[in-house]
Amino acid sequence: MSSSDEDFPDDYVMYCNREDWSDVTPIPQDDGPNSVVKIMYSDKFVDVYDYFRAVVHAKEYSLRALGLTEDALRLNAANYSVWHYRRDILKALDLDLYEELNYVEEVIIDNPKNYQVWHHRRVIVEWLNDPKEELEFTAKILDMDAKNYHAWQHRQWAIKTFNLWDDELFYTDKLISQDIRNNSAWNQRFFVLQHTGFTEDVIDRELHYVMNRIKIIKNNESSWNYLRGILQRNEGGLTSNPDVVQFAEDLYAEGVHSPYLLAFLLDVYEEKCLANLKAEDFAETEKKFYDICEKLETKFDTIRAKYWRYLGESFKTKVLAAKVDV
């Protein structure tokens, strides 16, 4: 199903040599009189697409035209016009759409990052109004490549369109257990919660969930981003849960110097300082901020030294401006 002449069988016969296609006059591609760069198509490619143009021109919706689209897609699975015409044929002939899903599955397995084939599958599922195969199918593709954007996009569409939320947190937990750095799985988990609701119990559960994963691997940007996202759903922001702040400070005290942990603490201390300039521990919190900023700049994330220096200067400006407003 990949875009190659090699996918055709050895006994393949060109359309121009097929007796059952002798009634069709092929239409050559018209590149105009002054083509800047002429593409050197293979003879097979020219033959198939010349006959495809003729079929489209004649508006022929037949089983032989459907077979022609398969040959055209073998040569170029990303051709939108071929997929569109194939859908026209399916609809005109009222063909078995479940058979089409089987065909599309084969194409996707060989072309997993082809937008056009994923779009075709979505249309077929919409026509059927039946998503029962989509979660299992996308999971199969994600087993091949856990970061396949098209598979995730299709999965999210199916879940949202057909209300398939029930087991998705379990699925994301499975993926995270297999690879705790799977940013796509963390993103999917947050996607589910965005649509099912951030209740107080859910927030508390997810905070414990992500902290337990951070204990396993401290230097994982995905889990720290997820922690931030969950906390920001709480009124009060990053400082809204003292247990989480204590958790991060304990890691730092134990000698964990992950830039993601330190960046999180910077934001916590900035938020805390700006929220209450008259707090008894303001000077202590301010000192913690500058100490971590300096360590990131000079020791733990020197590649972004200018950024951490800028962050320190920006914090100083924010504090001065806040004091003027008080």
Side-chain angles (χ1 to χ4, degrees), residues 10-198:
D10 294 336
D11 60 353
Y12 175 82
V13 178
M14 302 275 275
Y15 281 82
C16 61
N17 296 323
R18 298 185 189 187
E19 187 173 339
D20 58 336
W21 281 85
S22 61
D23 61 309
V24 177
T25 301
I27 299 177
Q29 179 169 309
D30 182 6
D31 290 328
N34 300 306
S35 178
V36 177
V37 179
K38 186 175 181 179
I39 299 175
M40 299 300 294
Y41 297 112
S42 69
D43 291 341
K44 194 173 295 178
F45 190 99
V46 171
D47 177 67
V48 168
Y49 275 90
D50 284 359
Y51 276 84
F52 174 72
R53 278 184 287 273
V55 164
V56 173
H57 179 73
K59 296 183 180 179
E60 177 184 326
Y61 304 116
S62 63
L63 289 179
R64 72 173 185 175
L66 189 72
L68 175 62
T69 64
E70 290 185 26
D71 286 339
L73 292 168
R74 282 192 183 98
L75 291 162
N76 181 8
N79 190 309
Y80 173 81
S81 296
V82 179
W83 285 113
H84 186 277
Y85 196 70
R86 184 175 178 86
R87 288 193 291 274
D88 288 344
I89 296 172
L90 292 169
K91 186 175 288 186
L93 300 183
D94 194 24
L95 297 176
D96 185 346
L97 296 181
Y98 288 102
E99 283 298 317
E100 184 67 8
L101 282 184
N102 293 334
Y103 166 72
V104 175
E105 178 174 346
E106 294 177 14
V107 179
I108 288 177
I109 288 173
D110 284 344
N111 302 269
K113 295 185 178 180
N114 178 339
Y115 170 79
Q116 302 300 345
V117 65
W118 281 105
H119 174 71
H120 184 73
R121 186 175 182 96
R122 176 184 292 197
V123 173
I124 301 304
V125 173
E126 287 176 335
W127 286 356
L128 286 167
N129 194 31
D130 182 0
K132 66 177 181 292
E133 298 181 11
E134 299 318 289
L135 296 189
E136 182 179 350
F137 172 66
T138 51
K140 179 179 179 179
I141 300 302
L142 291 169
D143 281 343
M144 297 165 52
D145 177 4
K147 299 183 184 300
N148 186 317
Y149 170 78
H150 301 285
W152 280 117
Q153 186 181 51
H154 186 82
R155 188 178 184 91
Q156 289 187 352
W157 165 79
I159 289 171
K160 190 174 179 181
T161 302
F162 297 99
N163 197 30
L164 306 176
W165 306 101
D166 289 351
D167 297 322
E168 195 62 9
L169 285 182
F170 175 80
Y171 177 67
T172 63
D173 180 55
K174 173 187 171 184
L175 293 184
I176 290 168
S177 297
Q178 293 171 347
D179 177 12
I180 204 167
R181 290 187 171 89
N182 186 337
N183 185 61
S184 299
W186 284 105
N187 179 70
Q188 181 73 353
R189 192 173 184 89
F190 199 81
F191 166 80
V192 173
L193 297 178
Q194 278 183 309
H195 290 86
T196 56
F198 285 96

Side-chain angles (χ1 to χ4, degrees), residues 215-230:
K215 288 176 185 177
I216 298 171
I217 298 182
K218 281 80 173 178
N219 192 32
N220 177 21
E221 185 176 9
S222 299
S223 50
W224 282 106
N225 285 342
Y226 188 80
L227 178 65
R228 284 171 176 273
I230 298 299

Side-chain angles (χ1 to χ4, degrees), residues 220-288:
N220 177 21
E221 185 176 9
S222 299
S223 50
W224 282 106
N225 285 342
Y226 188 80
L227 178 65
R228 284 171 176 273
I230 298 299
L231 278 174
Q232 287 168 348
R233 294 291 168 164
N234 252 345
E235 187 177 347
L238 299 182
T239 58
S240 61
N241 190 304
D243 290 342
V244 176
V245 175
Q246 189 63 54
F247 166 76
E249 290 183 326
D250 287 346
L251 286 177
Y252 182 54
E254 292 166 9
V256 177
H257 298 131
S258 161
Y260 310 120
L261 162 63
L262 301 186
F264 175 77
L265 285 174
L266 278 185
D267 288 344
V268 166
Y269 296 147
E270 177 176 317
E271 188 177 283
K272 190 174 180 181
C273 283
L274 296 178
N276 191 351
L277 297 172
K278 296 182 178 180
E280 291 182 5
D281 62 347
F282 175 87
E284 179 185 354
T285 304
E286 185 181 37
K287 183 178 184 303
K288 287 179 180 179

